[in-house]
Amino acid sequence: MKTHRTHLISFSEARAIVGALPPLPVEHVPLSGALGTITAGPVLAAANCPTIDSSLKDGYAVRSTDVAGAGRTTPVTLQLAGTVVAGGSDQTAVLPGTAVRIMTGGTLPAGADAVLASEFAEERTTTVQARADAHCGRNVLRRGADITAGAIIIEPGVRLGAGHLGLLAAAGVTAVQIYRRPSIMVIATGSELVAPGEPIGPGQVAASNMITVEAELKSLGLPVDTALLRDNLDNLEEVFSSALQNYDILLTCGGVLDGDKDLTLRAMQRCGVRQLFHRVRIGPGKGISMALAGDTLVFNLPGGPPSNHVAFRQLALPGIRRRLGCDNPFPGRITAPVTETISGPAGWTQFIYGYAGCLDAKSSLVARPLTTRPRLQAIAEANCLIEVPEQLCEVHAGNHTTVWLFNETF
């Protein structure tokens, strides 16, 4: 990947650079450590499920021809030849005129081709009366009906959830090839910042950006470490240098502008990072910088809460998704009409916090801008970002535009 010039680039250019990031290396992990990871190749079943023809019900294994005429008023009497339980080794066969009591999951005995559910049978000492018929295959789960050994059961690029792990376990898979999960460090910078839980004095600000970014990542199941640093260039360089050596991804919050105390990028330069872009024509969030230091991915985010959050969601989080192996690092993109006119500067992509939903049970999805909310309240209430594209200055009420939903996973 080539180093990008430091002039302002468009949102689409920045997205292309983020989308070109390679994923982290592949590794094999046991199922116990695979939740939330993304498959790096197709996963093949190691075993059939079930491994035998088995019963779906508690009942009686029978020959379907023996009970073909059975009914309430025309019961058929069969000799009881034994019992089969799930996991049992009894190999009792079903001969003409006989039945074998069978539990759910039990192996279908030789000779049987159906299971008569127990509610349609009356067992006596040595016999059972069938009071309904059971056609061939009734209540029988055939070998390999759920999973066939050797078949692809999960495609590449799938984020593994609880259901996937259950499927893998049933298929006899003990380990899976995935893209390694990144180690992530989030550092907030600024002498005015106070850590969560500390009293906020005059002129001080809580490090809410760090908390928001940390929570966004943890909600995706990603482990995160955090730190809060004062405005000291030498100390920033020392901590950044250590983080770049020990983490796969480093996110910083604040210090990306040109003021005397905006030291983040100066410290990054001292650390020898290779900047891919700095400043994007998006509002809010223009101050975002993206860089590489060896294999470590760096996003320097602005300090203002809306700028920080928009830059994180629209560019840094997609970059993390690429590292995780996501083929589509920009999910949640839809089009919807807006409920009121919104605007942005010419030549820039403007993002406005909004709430996407239906006005009533019969309505289709609309996006309602939260323009009257204070900044932090809008961030808390929003479930989407509404885009005013750079080629437009306004999106009029009722017109469709791009809406970026927050409720995606990866």
Side-chain angles (χ1 to χ4, degrees):
M1 184 180 296
K2 295 181 179 178
T3 302
H4 204 284
R5 296 188 299 273
T6 58
H7 70 276
L8 272 76
I9 63 173
S10 69
F11 179 49
S12 60
E13 288 177 300
R15 286 177 58 205
I17 294 171
V18 169
L21 286 168
L24 288 174
V26 170
E27 63 181 8
H28 280 82
V29 297
L31 296 193
S32 59
L35 182 65
T37 62
I38 294 178
T39 53
V43 184
L44 276 60
N48 290 308
C49 182
T51 56
I52 40 83
D53 291 345
S54 62
S55 177
L56 288 168
K57 293 280 188 76
D58 287 350
Y60 299 88
V62 297
R63 300 166 72 98
S64 58
T65 53
D66 284 347
V67 295
R72 283 187 183 180
T73 59
T74 56
V76 173
T77 301
L78 303 170
Q79 292 296 313
L80 194 59
T83 299
V84 173
V85 298
S89 58
D90 191 332
Q91 298 298 313
T92 303
V94 175
L95 302 175
T98 69
V100 169
R101 182 170 174 79
I102 190 168
M103 303 295 109
T104 302
T107 302
L108 190 71
D113 62 2
V115 172
L116 178 67
S118 57
E119 58 264 32
F120 300 113
E122 181 182 342
E123 184 176 329
R124 297 178 180 176
T125 305
T126 59
T127 63
V128 59
Q129 282 197 335
R131 298 183 179 273
D133 65 355
H135 60 75
C136 181
R138 180 74 172 176
N139 297 323
V140 174
L141 184 64
R142 295 297 181 188
R143 176 177 180 268
D146 286 331
I147 302 168
T148 303
I152 296 175
I153 52 173
I154 299 180
E155 298 288 345
V158 174
R159 187 190 184 213
L160 296 175
H164 295 113
L165 298 188
L167 172 65
L168 292 169
V173 177
T174 59
V176 62
Q177 186 182 53
I178 53 96
Y179 292 106
R180 180 167 61 79
R181 294 164 71 100
S183 56
I184 304 175
M185 181 76 169
V186 179
I187 300 177
T189 67
S191 297
E192 76 282 9
L193 299 179
V194 296
E198 293 183 357
I200 303 173
Q204 293 183 317
V205 179
S208 62
N209 291 333
M210 182 179 71
I211 297 303
T212 302
V213 171
E214 178 188 19
E216 291 266 16
L217 294 170
K218 284 186 174 180
S219 71
L220 299 177
L222 298 174
V224 186
D225 291 329
T226 61
L228 179 59
L229 302 180
R230 306 304 175 196
D231 291 322
N232 179 285
L233 185 57
D234 291 336
N235 185 49
L236 290 175
E237 179 187 359
E238 180 181 354
V239 176
F240 289 169
S241 179
S242 175
L244 293 172
Q245 295 176 38
N246 293 290
Y247 291 88
D248 297 308
I249 298 172
L250 172 60
L251 303 172
T252 68
C253 303
V256 298
L257 299 179
D258 300 320
D260 292 341
K261 294 298 183 179
D262 292 314
L263 305 177
T264 296
L265 295 185
R266 290 167 59 185
M268 285 291 170
Q269 290 172 354
R270 284 190 178 188
C271 293
V273 303
R274 180 166 63 92
Q275 197 172 72
L276 302 177
F277 62 73
H278 175 211
R279 300 191 179 179
V280 181
R281 295 196 304 275
I282 59 173
K286 74 172 184 180
I288 183 173
S289 172
M290 173 180 167
L292 288 172
D295 293 327
T296 299
L297 175 63
V298 180
F299 282 101
N300 305 119
L301 307 175
S307 294
N308 181 275
H309 190 237
V310 169
F312 169 78
R313 285 209 59 93
Q314 297 303 94
L315 292 171
L317 184 54
I320 294 170
R321 291 192 186 103
R322 279 299 301 143
R323 281 301 204 231
L324 283 162
C326 291
D327 290 331
N328 175 23
F330 297 93
R333 184 183 185 183
I334 65 169
T335 59
V338 293
T339 59
E340 62 185 69
T341 298
I342 52 177
S343 61
W348 287 62
T349 301
Q350 187 72 23
F351 294 106
I352 296 169
Y353 284 100
Y355 191 88
C358 298
L359 297 177
D360 55 56
K362 296 182 180 180
S363 300
S364 57
L365 192 75
V366 298
R368 175 170 56 89
L370 300 176
T371 51
T372 61
R373 300 288 195 275
R375 299 184 311 164
L376 297 178
Q377 196 70 35
I379 294 173
E381 294 182 19
N383 69 354
C384 67
L385 287 170
I386 306 171
E387 179 181 325
V388 181
E390 66 175 16
Q391 66 270 23
L392 299 177
C393 291
E394 283 187 327
V395 177
H396 294 283
N399 287 352
H400 284 69
T401 192
T402 297
V403 176
W404 301 85
L405 299 176
F406 288 173
N407 62 355
E408 82 286 358
T409 53
F410 278 157

